[in-house]
Amino acid sequence: MKIKFLGTSAGWPLPRLGCSDKICTSRDPRDKRTRSQALINDRLLLDIGPDTYLHLNTAGVNPTAVEYAAITHEHPDHTFGLWDLGHIYNGKKIKVIIHPSTFQKIKKLFFYKEYEILKTEAATPVVLDDLQVSLLPVNHTDSSFGIFVKGKGRSFFWAPDFKTLPPQTKAKIKGTTIAIDGSELRIPTQNHQTIIEGVSLGRVSLAKSTYFIHIGHRNLPHKELVRFVQKTGGKNFNVAFDGLEVEI
């Protein structure tokens, strides 16, 4: 399974406009982050944020190969690219996997003639040829999910926004590769875990590899953050950056 991290920021990109802190003045290109989004096997998009056009217009990405997309929840940084996704000149409708409760909150964003909407209940797999895609509940909003992708003996869990995971989701993702909320380093918030908590989750889940995504502003620059998570968790913990491609 090929995973390309197209974007890795939280709801606002990095650097922030007008900011002069350590992250925003970094010259490391890995500290330039757009809204979190990933592409699986060149065909399946995970989340459809406002940087979708930019991501699909990037070198090494073929927008006409995209056939499917899945949405974690209703917030703008995960949905506001729907307009652009519906205008790919490939002669076919993109199939969008979404939970009914999430769909109800954003249905006005859909232009029905442009998409085939696949409403799916939690933990019910949708079969996409060689992949199975399930929406697993997470605790963020009352209609938020992580995206669990299985294919050819490999599995990947994408969860950019959550405070905690329900027990049934934790059980489902054991032993897989995970990409999880990195919005905060240490400061607890109402709707997001900290990276410290994410390291604990990666250990408890026996994750093969843990990648932090959705990197927020109250964090460390990329190099320092990688050192921190690997010192805290070990070598199977890492920080994704825009353009990173991995095979699992």
Side-chain angles (χ1 to χ4, degrees), residues 77-93:
D77 54 316
H78 302 271
T79 59
F80 272 20
L82 277 163
W83 172 263
D84 292 320
L85 190 65
H87 291 75
I88 297 176
Y89 284 75
N90 58 4
K92 54 192 173 186
K93 293 182 179 182

Side-chain angles (χ1 to χ4, degrees), residues 3-8 29-30 32-34 37-38 55 58-61 240-246:
I3 303 162
K4 186 157 189 173
F5 293 92
L6 301 176
T8 54
R30 294 171 295 184
K32 294 184 179 359
R33 301 180 184 274
T34 52
Q37 186 174 45
H55 293 161
T58 300
V61 175
F241 55 88
D242 290 22
L244 174 66
E245 191 171 302
V246 298

Side-chain angles (χ1 to χ4, degrees), residues 186-198:
R186 300 177 184 275
I187 301 173
T189 64
Q190 184 176 355
N191 294 316
H192 295 277
Q193 71 166 5
T194 64
I195 285 178
I196 299 290
E197 292 168 330

Side-chain angles (χ1 to χ4, degrees), residues 29-214:
R30 294 171 295 184
D31 283 314
K32 294 184 179 359
R33 301 180 184 274
T34 52
R35 269 65 67 106
S36 288
Q37 186 174 45
L39 182 62
I40 307 295
N41 291 352
D42 300 319
R43 301 166 56 230
L44 168 64
L45 272 178
L46 306 184
D47 278 323
I48 315 173
D51 298 310
T52 295
Y53 175 85
L54 173 67
H55 293 161
L56 296 185
N57 204 28
T58 300
V61 175
N62 176 11
T64 64
V66 176
E67 299 178 74
Y68 308 98
I71 294 175
T72 55
H73 66 294
E74 66 272 12
H75 285 160
D77 54 316
H78 302 271
T79 59
F80 272 20
L82 277 163
W83 172 263
D84 292 320
L85 190 65
H87 291 75
I88 297 176
Y89 284 75
N90 58 4
K92 54 192 173 186
K93 293 182 179 182
I94 302 294
K95 297 177 176 66
V96 179
I97 300 164
I98 188 169
H99 191 272
S101 63
T102 311
F103 178 78
Q104 277 301 116
K105 294 187 176 182
I106 62 167
K107 60 185 179 181
K108 290 183 180 179
L109 294 178
F110 282 93
F111 300 88
Y112 291 94
K113 66 180 181 179
E114 307 291 352
Y115 306 100
E116 183 177 337
I117 300 168
L118 306 178
K119 297 180 191 176
T120 181
E121 296 294 335
T124 302
V126 177
V127 179
L128 314 178
D129 300 324
D130 58 336
L131 298 175
Q132 290 186 19
V133 181
S134 305
L135 301 177
L136 304 183
V138 303
N139 297 318
H140 179 59
T141 70
D142 61 0
S143 52
S144 291
F145 302 86
I147 302 168
F148 186 64
V149 184
K150 289 182 66 177
K152 295 183 178 178
R154 301 288 186 268
S155 56
F156 177 64
F157 181 60
W158 169 266
D161 289 77
F162 64 90
K163 178 64 175 177
T164 58
L165 299 182
Q168 65 270 30
T169 298
K170 284 184 180 179
K172 186 77 172 179
I173 67 170
K174 270 202 169 174
T176 193
T177 297
I178 61 177
I180 57 174
D181 194 338
S183 301
E184 298 285 345
L185 182 62
R186 300 177 184 275
I187 301 173
T189 64
Q190 184 176 355
N191 294 316
H192 295 277
Q193 71 166 5
T194 64
I195 285 178
I196 299 290
E197 292 168 330
V199 169
S200 296
L201 175 63
R203 285 174 169 165
V204 169
S205 301
L206 305 176
K208 289 183 178 178
S209 295
T210 298
Y211 292 90
F212 287 100
I213 53 173
H214 209 266

